[in-house]
Every structure is written in C-alpha cells, then in structure tokens.
Amino acid sequence: MGKVSGLTEAIARLVHDGDVVALEGFTHLIPVAAGQEIIRQGRRGLTLVRMTPDIVYDQMIGAGCARKLVFSWGGNPGVGSLHRFRDAVECGWPGALEIEEHSHAGMANRYVAGASGVPFAVLRGYVGTDLATVTDTIKPIVCPFTGEQLTAVPALNPDVTVIHAQRADRAGNVQLWGLLGVQKEAVLAARRSLVTVEEIVDTLEPVPGAIVLPAWAVTAVAEVPGGAHPSYAQGYSERDNAYYAAWDAISRDRDTFDNWLHENVFASAVGNNA
C-alpha cells in the first residue's frame, strides 16, 4: 500500500477507541489538523499523552474524546488556562477526566525509555518535589552502585503517535527542522505512527539542523498543508497568535465551544488528498 495516505483514512486505520494517543510538538509543528480529524471521527475513551497539552487537546477533551490525560504542563500558551480541560477535571463535563502529571524531564525520559525498549527511566529531578504523592507512576529507586536515592518512571509506549513535519518523500522518510520537542522519541516509542506534512516531495533536500525519521519508523504519512495551524511550521507558516487569544473566550462557555466545534470542525475537513 505504501506509506502515503489521506488524513481521514489514516486516522480511521490507526486511531481506535481506547487507544493511548500522543500528539507531540513543542510550540512548533503541533498536529492540530490530525487532532481535529480524531474529533470528527468520534473517537472515545482515549488516553491522551503530551508534554505540553494546549488548545488541540482542549478541543479533543471538550469534544468528549478523552478519558485520561498524561502530561507535564497544560495551558493556552501566552494566554491562560485551558477551559475545556478545567471543566472536565473540575465538573466532569463532557465526562470525567483522569490526570497523571509529570515534570517535563520525566515525560521526555519516559518517551526515551519507550523508544529504547527498556521498562523505565531513572532521573534525579523528582527528588525534593511532591509529585510522587499525587502520581502513582513516580517511584523511588536506589542506585545499586552508589546508593543514591533516585526516581523511576515507566516507559511510554503509545498505541499511536501523531506529529506534524515539514515534508516527506514518497517512500515515507520524514524531514523536520526548527524548534523541536520529543517528536522523534515519541514516534520511535509508539506501536503505530502518523506524520502529517506540509508537502510530499520526490527528494528530501538537505536542511541545516534537520532530522530525518526513516520510513521504517513511520506507519503512514499524510500531506496536510497548514496542518499545524494555529502553531507554525518553520519555512512554511507563522504562528497565528490571534487564534490563541480568541480561543480563551470560545472555550470558556460550553455552548459557545459546541457552536465553534460544529462550525469549525464537524462542518469542515482537510488533508484528505492521498
């Protein structure tokens, strides 16, 4: 079949009810279009994983896709709270949301452990914090060589990881550059992976500082120009700051959010070209 797919078909094939799903991207290259396609397809019972859940997870939570969030920070960057996330945690609307909170370093190391095929990661960063008192997946461990008190966190192996990148070739090799997060580790840790890209090209030309995810690590690629909006894709688009500011008012009220969802997500579809 090859790696190249339409977005609708790729989500239908790769994301299932009850899956552990990671949509990664750090300020840049956030796979928003893919998240909205998950909403359109009515997925339920998902465990959403992300180091920095922002508005795409707010939308998915508000749409009823999630039963749990595993994260290290959540908010509308530069603006304030995620109101659909808060409503789910505080009031159980549209359903109760379980949360599992870690530090950035803990989440990153969990992905690294998952990508490395080991059961857990060890780090110093939790010592002296109280996160272990509220998160069951943070456990003390003693170094067998020095006796030092450290902390273990279990590996993360999502059922599916979704990321956005600048481009891919027709064989499914993916090239991304600019401000990156844990996209590489999240893809390598996952059982299945989908990469939406700005464009599919015949040849990946070298770019300073770029990384390439080889086709063997990627399950599917979908060409979705603008698929990171309102975040940005270096070399292709700029961050839509007005969108983030407008989201605060949209997400505060349930009816306003529902109207927005039906007008801007359910009434439209993008990225279905194969």
Side-chain angles (χ1 to χ4, degrees), residues 28-51:
H28 173 231
L29 297 176
I30 298 169
V32 176
Q36 292 181 349
E37 182 60 29
I38 291 171
I39 293 172
R40 273 192 292 273
Q41 295 195 18
R43 293 297 180 268
R44 293 292 181 268
L46 302 179
T47 295
L48 297 179
V49 180
R50 181 167 154 79
M51 284 185 63

Side-chain angles (χ1 to χ4, degrees), residues 24 49-51 70-72 102-126 137-138 151-158 181-183 185-186 188-189:
E24 280 294 350
V49 180
R50 181 167 154 79
M51 284 185 63
V70 182
F71 72 113
S72 53
H102 283 267
S103 67
H104 279 353
M107 288 289 291
N109 277 276
R110 294 185 70 187
Y111 279 126
V112 170
S116 302
V118 296
F120 60 89
V122 179
L123 61 159
R124 291 189 173 95
Y126 288 104
T137 49
I138 301 171
T151 306
V153 288
L156 271 173
N157 292 105
V182 291
Q183 290 100 317
E185 293 80 4
L188 293 174

Side-chain angles (χ1 to χ4, degrees), residues 229-267:
H229 180 264
S231 73
Y232 71 103
Q234 184 169 322
Y236 291 82
S237 64
E238 295 184 355
R239 189 178 191 268
D240 186 350
N241 292 316
Y243 187 113
Y244 287 92
W247 184 251
D248 186 70
I250 292 166
S251 63
R252 281 180 182 272
D253 178 75
R254 295 174 184 176
D255 290 338
T256 304
F257 166 75
D258 274 342
N259 289 336
W260 177 91
L261 198 65
H262 284 87
E263 292 174 4
N264 295 275
V265 177
F266 290 117

Side-chain angles (χ1 to χ4, degrees), residues 143-215:
C143 174
F145 303 105
T146 66
E148 182 181 1
Q149 182 81 26
L150 301 168
T151 306
V153 288
L156 271 173
N157 292 105
D159 293 306
V160 58
T161 288
V162 183
I163 65 169
H164 190 75
Q166 280 94 340
R167 58 193 181 197
D169 64 20
R170 300 187 190 285
N173 300 294
V174 173
Q175 186 181 43
L176 60 161
W177 64 88
L179 179 63
L180 302 181
V182 291
Q183 290 100 317
K184 175 184 67 175
E185 293 80 4
V187 166
L188 293 174
R191 296 172 177 86
R192 304 181 297 277
S193 59
L194 167 63
V195 184
T196 58
V197 295
E198 292 293 321
E199 61 175 336
I200 293 175
V201 298
D202 293 326
T203 302
L204 297 178
E205 300 293 340
V207 175
I211 66 170
V212 173
L213 291 171

